[in-house]
Amino acid sequence: MQSDAHDMTRTPPIFRALPGLLLSMAVAGSAMLLEQAERSLVGTAWIESLVLAILAGTILRTLWQPPATFESGIHFSAHTLLEAAVALMGAAVSFEMVMKAGPMLVLGIVGTVGIAIGAGVLLGRAFGLPAKMAVLIACGNAICGNSAIAAVAVAIDADNDEAATAVAFTAVLGIVVILCLPLAAHTLHLTQTEGGVLAGLTVYAVPQVLAAAGPMGATAIQIGTLVKLIRVLMLGPVVAVCSLIYARQTPFRNDTKPGFSLNRFLPPFIVVFMGLMAARSLGLVPHELLAPLHTMSSLFTLVAMAALGLGVDLRNVLAAGPRVVTVVTLSLAVLGMVALLVARAC
């Protein structure tokens, strides 16, 4: 046994990570196939591959305990690949979007995200959720669902159970929002512009904005997409702030000597995110690279979601169910009310 353990420590990290990485990739691949099956059967994917990946990984982990040889690769996929995916997202946004929107709408978006995060954290703590879980749910609702939860989870060092639970419940409500938003816009007699702003401020993913705003008209789609992209732009600053707060608290929890470290206050993947965003804004990122970078980020995220699921026992997730459902629902209600006010004002 000692010889086996010694041999494992001498194995290069890439080879130690290979079993878990391949397992995560296999689960991610199965999620992609399931999404394609949805599209073939019903014409659209009501549950995206990101959610399917984490659900498939969670079910597999609940039914089967992976051997220790898989742990390194699963951890690598859930953390390092996820950080790389978030960093690459910076190439998809630019400050030009802010200029097109106008100052009042931008302020409305920033205010909505800030209020939604604050309300979500307060609601989570009021219902007795752990602090990190409350932050994950709040940021997921306020910004962009899965991607925000995944990015913030890295920044605050959240457990896999917490990240997976937040993703699962926000994903379910995300589908509800897509179905209900067009009806709500019609009932409230919103214009296409107002409906687009409401969709951009409440729906989690850009493709979902297209689905939710589509019934309202072309203008609603254009406005909704613009608002959603600016809302995604908030991910970098929010993750940086979460990293700062967590870094200031960590030394006291671990009884280590506090000191300044740039990596602790601003993780490298956020520096790359902001750098790519600035490069995109200055026209330094070739247009031909945008699609490959987006594809790479999406694939990394998909594998990371599968790895997150592989680190979660479903029985532990279900134990926190009722409180999480309540907090996510109330947080989304607060976001919807604030978003409606902004939409009416714009």
Side-chain angles (χ1 to χ4, degrees):
M1 290 293 292
Q2 290 181 349
S3 177
D4 292 341
H6 181 64
D7 289 341
M8 285 192 65
T9 60
R10 295 178 59 185
T11 304
I14 184 62
F15 291 111
R16 291 203 303 269
L18 197 57
L21 176 60
L22 291 176
L23 177 61
S24 300
M25 292 173 64
V27 173
S30 68
M32 295 177 67
L33 292 176
L34 287 172
E35 181 179 307
Q36 289 300 318
E38 281 187 90
R39 295 185 187 280
S40 299
L41 292 173
V42 298
T44 187
W46 293 110
I47 305 179
E48 295 180 337
S49 56
L50 287 176
V51 179
L52 290 170
I54 199 167
L55 292 177
T58 299
I59 293 172
L60 180 60
R61 168 62 182 83
T62 303
L63 298 175
W64 171 65
Q65 171 68 53
T69 52
F70 287 84
E71 292 180 2
S72 176
I74 292 174
H75 183 272
F76 171 83
S77 301
H79 293 82
T80 305
L81 279 187
L82 190 53
E83 291 180 354
V86 174
L88 293 176
M89 288 180 190
V93 293
S94 71
F95 293 111
E96 183 182 358
M97 302 170 188
V98 179
M99 302 301 294
K100 288 183 178 179
M104 291 305 298
L105 181 55
V106 172
L107 288 175
I109 296 170
V110 173
T112 300
V113 170
I115 293 172
I117 291 176
V121 172
L122 290 175
L123 284 168
R125 299 302 286 156
F127 278 86
L129 295 184
K132 291 182 180 179
M133 173 74 78
V135 171
L136 292 178
I137 290 174
C139 292
N141 270 330
I143 305 175
C144 51
N146 300 331
S147 298
I149 292 170
V152 173
V154 174
I156 65 176
D157 195 26
D159 294 336
N160 284 356
D161 283 358
E162 295 171 324
T165 302
V167 167
F169 285 110
T170 53
V172 171
L173 280 185
I175 296 171
V176 174
V177 171
I178 295 173
L179 296 174
C180 295
L181 196 61
L183 178 61
H186 176 74
T187 303
L188 296 170
H189 304 290
L190 299 182
T191 65
Q192 286 197 35
T193 298
E194 292 171 342
V197 172
L198 181 62
L201 285 174
T202 53
V203 177
Y204 294 145
V206 174
Q208 293 178 341
V209 172
L210 303 182
M216 306 179 209
T219 300
I221 293 176
Q222 294 172 357
I223 296 296
T225 301
L226 175 62
V227 171
K228 176 59 191 170
L229 289 173
I230 295 174
R231 187 172 154 213
V232 171
L233 199 63
M234 295 291 294
L235 180 60
V238 168
V239 173
V241 169
C242 289
S243 299
L244 174 63
I245 295 173
Y246 177 74
R248 292 181 62 184
Q249 294 174 347
T250 301
F252 296 98
R253 287 200 303 267
N254 296 340
D255 296 324
T256 58
K257 182 179 179 180
F260 179 79
S261 171
L262 182 60
N263 286 350
R264 283 173 37 226
F265 286 89
L266 198 61
F269 72 97
I270 292 300
V271 175
V272 175
F273 177 97
M274 304 296 275
L276 283 175
M277 185 177 67
R280 171 73 186 278
S281 302
L282 295 172
L284 300 178
V285 179
H287 184 74
E288 295 77 11
L289 287 180
L290 296 181
L293 288 174
H294 174 73
T295 300
M296 190 179 300
S297 176
S298 299
L299 290 175
F300 284 176
T301 303
L302 184 63
V303 175
M305 288 294 117
L308 281 175
L310 288 169
V312 176
D313 190 321
L314 189 60
R315 289 163 293 190
N316 296 333
V317 174
L318 294 177
R323 289 182 301 165
V324 176
V325 170
T326 302
V327 172
V328 173
T329 304
L330 292 177
S331 298
L332 186 59
V334 171
L335 173 63
M337 289 187 290
V338 176
L340 182 58
L341 292 175
V342 173
R344 290 290 197 186
C346 295

